[in-house]
Amino acid sequence: MASIVCPKLGAVPTGQRSCHQLELHPKTTQKSTQPVAHRLGENLGFGFRRTIKSPHALATEASTPLNENDKMMANYVPIYVMLQLGIVTIDNVLEDKVGLEKQLKQLKGANVDGVMCDVWWGIVESKGPKEYDWSAYRVLFQLVQDCGLKMQVVMSFHQCGGNVGDVVNIPIPQWVRDVGETNPDIFYTNRAGNRNIEYLTIGMYRDYMKSFKETMADFLEAELFTDIEVGLGPAGELRYPSYPQSQGWVFPGIGEFQCYDKYLQADFKEAATNAGHPEWEFPDDAGEYNNNPDVTGFFGSKGYLSEKGKFFLTWYSNKLLIHGDQILNEANKAFLGCKVKLACKLTAGYYNLNDRDGYRPIARMLSRHYGAFNFTCLEMRDSEQDAAAKSGPQELVQQVFSSVKREDVHIAGENALERYDRDAYNQILLNVRPNGVSRNEPPKLKMEALTFLRLGDELLKKKNFRLFKTFAYNADPRTYSSVVPLERSKPEIPIEELLKASEWLEPFPFDDQTDMSVGGKLNDFIDGLLDKIPFF
Ligand SMILES: OC[C@H]1O[C@H](O[C@H]2[C@H](O)[C@@H](O)[C@@H](O[C@H]3[C@H](O)[C@@H](O)[C@@H](O[C@H]4[C@H](O)[C@@H](O)[C@@H](O[C@H]5[C@H](O)[C@@H](O)[C@@H](O[C@H]6[C@H](O)[C@@H](O)[C@@H](O[C@H]7[C@H](O)[C@@H](O)[C@@H](O)O[C@@H]7CO)O[C@@H]6CO)O[C@@H]5CO)O[C@@H]4CO)O[C@@H]3CO)O[C@@H]2CO)[C@H](O)[C@@H](O)[C@@H]1O
């Protein structure tokens, strides 16, 4: 890496909390060695009150022979907004249909394409195995459809509660938790033996997806759902429950490995024995949730770079890769032929080093399922991070974007935390089109979709919503194009082939700032004045 210190474990200086093993805390990147661009106030004449032209308008003006459809789609990034977590209550009721309808119409008026919604396992199958009750979700889907919006639905096999922003508590079904009472090893377990009941280690989700498909056949036929986000772990993300607030984790603690149940212990023992090292055990010096890495032997003293450390991390990260592959394979079978795209949410903290790309093998795995890679933290800038955390979200997004594109996989994005300010919007806009809008040809770099977190009173406050509308316009929402019918997954890719994609490659260059800015500090000042005018 010439100019950018890539997000990697190996580059973490002592005491820094970034780049942890795949189950650790979520902010993985090392800061860039380049000065972070502070762009406040530089954007006059761009974003305010639509003084810029939308990507669509620019493409339409172009003199090159793009056809109309190409022009429209070339720079287009569809935008979705996440619905509230408890929109269907734990009692399986869509409580405030009238209120929601009003909000959805506001989104539609802001040219938003669609909404993302969790479909909670803990609600739909709460009464017993295979006793599904989809009624409230059908009402919700009908409402969204009537409002002219599309949907990204999340197959939420995980618990709601215990992550940042989880304002409601929706556990996994009681009957599953009852099984856990008699056999707690079905849950992820840390070294101290604490069980985590957010998500199961086993794939028991096939029937749920099949039932969803059968019950929602009419909505599928009407192409209401564009994406099926397949829940692959806590918060719906492909990860271990390695930084649970419910067990006392706070940012930026390093988190803990979650492999101490008897099944994973036996699996590791077998793998180590096959590798000629029956004496190898899990690391006993990897620290606790809120440690700083330098106080641990495994990270601080570079145990992770030893032969044994590498073996463990490879085994641990491969487990996650295989888990994702297996569940996506089931999802692919369940939704085969439907006009939907499978998607998978990812976060930070994978086995990603100076010389090892932790993301591209995942993208390669996704490629065989025609899956999309949905990444987080689009809104975050390095300069906003606590220096002690040594967190570099900008480089992380850049790396992930590049790795995913290199595998020819669709990339989508979300913001990690709720933000309604110009800096966040501008950063998101930069990340969705890292080299800006292209006038004459499709942009080389572009995300395929964007989901904004989250619908609610805060977003719909007059000032916030006004700015959001400018942002949505600059992302250039248009009518969503049809998704092609899902094809059957390609043949399984051997793990060795997947891991070949961990070779480190230079990320694609990103611009310093978006060409679709929603403005800067001065715009905020003017907005403050406008707010005093009641009818504005
Ligand atoms: O419906 C779909 C699913 O929805 C939910 O899951 C989503 C979840 O809601 C999302 O937040 C997101 O969660 C992931 C995320 O993608 C991962 O990146 C990661 O998040 C970590 C994050 O990357 C880390 O940086 C860190 O965040 C800490 C942050 O860096 C610190 O600065 C601090 O933030 C404070 C902030 O400093 C403070 O100023 C204030 O900020 C607010 C501000 O005051 C206010 O004016 C307004 O502008 O809003 C600001 C932001 O709220 O508060 C901030 C928050 O306290 O602390 C942060 C940590 O608390 O750690 C993050 C992990 O905690 O991991 C997340 C969880 O895995 O994406 C999820 C998936 O879509 C549900 O949980 C799911 O069940 C649903 O399926």
Side-chain angles (χ1 to χ4, degrees):
M1 300 293 299
S3 56
I4 294 175
V5 177
C6 68
K8 51 208 162 240
L9 194 67
V12 185
T14 51
Q16 301 317 327
R17 297 170 165 81
S18 59
C19 303
H20 246 270
Q21 67 277 38
L22 59 162
E23 45 61 282
L24 293 187
H25 88 79
K27 288 273 66 63
T28 51
T29 58
Q30 172 82 0
K31 280 191 170 179
S32 167
T33 51
Q34 293 181 323
V36 175
H38 292 271
R39 300 183 288 275
L40 298 181
E42 287 177 9
N43 301 306
L44 278 181
F46 280 100
F48 187 61
R49 302 281 170 242
R50 303 188 172 183
T51 51
I52 54 167
K53 290 182 174 165
S54 75
H56 174 60
L58 290 171
T60 309
E61 280 176 2
S63 55
T64 49
L66 284 175
N67 69 37
E68 283 308 306
N69 188 53
D70 286 347
K71 282 180 198 167
M72 187 178 83
M73 295 308 295
N75 293 281
Y76 161 63
V77 178
I79 180 166
Y80 296 78
V81 176
M82 276 189 212
L83 291 186
Q84 298 88 334
L85 290 163
I87 198 78
V88 170
T89 65
I90 186 79
D91 304 318
N92 210 347
V93 175
L94 178 62
E95 224 163 36
D96 184 14
K97 190 176 165 204
V98 175
L100 179 63
E101 183 174 6
K102 196 172 156 216
Q103 294 181 336
L104 293 175
K105 284 182 174 160
Q106 284 180 273
L107 292 183
K108 183 70 184 169
N111 280 334
V112 163
D113 287 81
V115 290
M116 177 183 280
C117 167
D118 289 277
V119 182
W120 296 106
W121 184 33
I123 292 178
V124 173
E125 204 178 347
S126 64
K127 294 193 183 122
K130 299 199 190 178
E131 284 186 51
Y132 304 108
D133 180 355
W134 298 102
S135 50
Y137 283 102
R138 283 199 57 85
V139 177
L140 171 63
F141 297 164
Q142 189 63 56
L143 180 63
V144 174
Q145 189 174 51
D146 292 346
C147 290
L149 293 163
K150 296 286 181 187
M151 293 195 83
Q152 299 172 313
V153 281
V154 189
M155 299 288 109
S156 296
F157 300 119
H158 55 284
Q159 156 184 303
C160 184
N163 280 308
V164 59
D166 283 356
V167 291
V168 293
N169 192 40
I170 305 169
I172 59 177
Q174 182 62 50
W175 58 270
V176 179
R177 285 180 284 145
D178 290 344
V179 174
E181 287 287 310
T182 49
N183 182 9
D185 285 296
I186 66 168
F187 295 123
Y188 285 109
T189 308
N190 74 351
R191 187 158 175 265
N194 295 319
R195 313 286 185 181
N196 189 304
I197 59 169
E198 282 181 71
Y199 190 85
L200 296 184
T201 56
I202 52 177
M204 49 191 307
Y205 312 115
R206 180 187 311 134
D207 292 335
Y208 184 84
M209 291 190 279
K210 206 164 148 256
S211 172
F212 178 93
K213 182 194 165 181
E214 283 161 8
T215 314
M216 306 302 172
D218 50 341
F219 292 122
L220 281 160
E221 185 63 32
E223 298 180 30
L224 172 64
F225 312 118
T226 56
D227 301 69
I228 307 283
E229 305 269 342
V230 185
L232 296 174
E237 298 164 326
L238 177 64
R239 66 172 175 85
Y240 291 92
S242 51
Y243 51 99
Q245 292 183 342
S246 55
Q247 291 183 27
W249 172 83
V250 287
F251 181 77
I254 60 171
E256 290 190 34
F257 292 119
Q258 306 287 324
C259 50
Y260 293 83
D261 64 86
K262 67 181 181 192
Y263 301 114
L264 286 177
Q265 299 220 40
D267 189 282
F268 178 76
K269 204 32 124 183
E270 191 184 335
T273 304
N274 290 341
H277 287 285
E279 76 284 6
W280 279 351
E281 304 283 350
F282 290 152
D284 57 3
D285 57 352
E288 296 178 352
Y289 287 121
N290 293 320
N291 279 155
N292 184 312
D294 68 342
V295 305
T296 73
F298 193 75
F299 299 107
S301 308
K302 305 274 189 286
Y304 69 90
L305 291 177
S306 68
E307 193 194 350
K308 182 175 142 188
K310 283 181 183 168
F311 180 84
F312 168 71
L313 286 178
T314 305
W315 171 84
Y316 192 67
S317 55
N318 284 355
K319 285 272 144 222
L320 200 64
L321 198 56
I322 293 163
H323 163 80
D325 191 36
Q326 287 172 343
I327 298 195
L328 283 165
N329 195 39
E330 292 305 327
N332 178 280
K333 283 192 246 173
F335 293 102
L336 189 62
C338 298
K339 284 192 174 176
V340 291
K341 191 134 195 68
L342 297 181
C344 161
K345 291 193 186 205
L346 286 107
T347 180
Y350 298 84
Y351 183 16
N352 200 51
L353 312 178
N354 276 331
D355 55 356
R356 186 186 198 281
D357 187 332
Y359 291 89
R360 200 148 62 87
I362 300 172
R364 184 166 291 185
M365 177 274 284
L366 267 170
S367 70
R368 92 169 178 101
H369 304 293
Y370 305 96
F373 191 116
N374 190 353
F375 197 63
T376 186
C377 71
L378 295 200
E379 84 286 15
M380 289 184 175
R381 299 183 308 166
D382 294 357
S383 57
E384 296 163 347
Q385 305 304 315
D386 176 358
K390 289 281 181 188
S391 180
Q394 290 175 244
E395 291 76 21
L396 182 62
V397 171
Q398 187 179 13
Q399 183 209 338
V400 171
F401 190 117
S402 309
S403 300
V404 173
K405 286 287 179 194
R406 281 187 166 120
E407 292 300 315
D408 203 17
V409 164
H410 279 202
I411 183 161
E414 298 180 357
N415 45 318
L417 301 174
E418 285 188 30
R419 293 272 299 265
Y420 306 99
D421 56 281
R422 291 180 194 277
D423 290 339
Y425 286 137
N426 286 337
Q427 189 61 32
I428 294 173
L429 289 167
L430 173 63
N431 284 326
V432 296
R433 275 186 297 261
N435 299 154
V437 166
S438 177
R439 288 165 185 268
N440 299 320
E441 56 189 0
K444 269 197 291 217
L445 299 183
K446 188 189 79 162
M447 286 197 172
E448 269 75 30
L450 166 65
T451 304
F452 184 75
L453 178 158
R454 171 182 308 277
L455 181 57
D457 293 343
E458 193 63 25
L459 173 63
L460 296 173
K461 275 183 185 165
K462 196 168 96 174
K463 185 176 162 207
N464 286 345
F465 199 55
R466 203 164 53 208
L467 186 54
F468 174 80
K469 282 196 271 190
T470 307
F471 162 69
Y473 180 82
N474 287 8
D476 196 35
R478 296 283 158 203
T479 308
Y480 197 85
S481 66
S482 286
V483 180
V484 295
L486 185 62
E487 289 178 50
R488 182 70 187 102
S489 298
K490 292 174 211 157
E492 190 175 336
I493 305 174
I495 193 81
E496 302 73 33
E497 277 305 309
L498 293 178
L499 294 187
K500 280 184 189 162
S502 59
E503 180 196 358
W504 178 263
L505 299 171
E506 196 75 20
F508 302 141
F510 275 29
D511 294 347
D512 281 340
Q513 55 186 300
T514 177
D515 57 348
M516 300 301 294
S517 167
V518 299
K521 281 274 186 263
L522 183 59
N523 301 100
D524 278 338
F525 174 71
I526 297 168
D527 259 1
L529 296 178
L530 290 173
D531 264 350
K532 298 192 176 12
I533 307 170
F535 54 84
F536 199 84

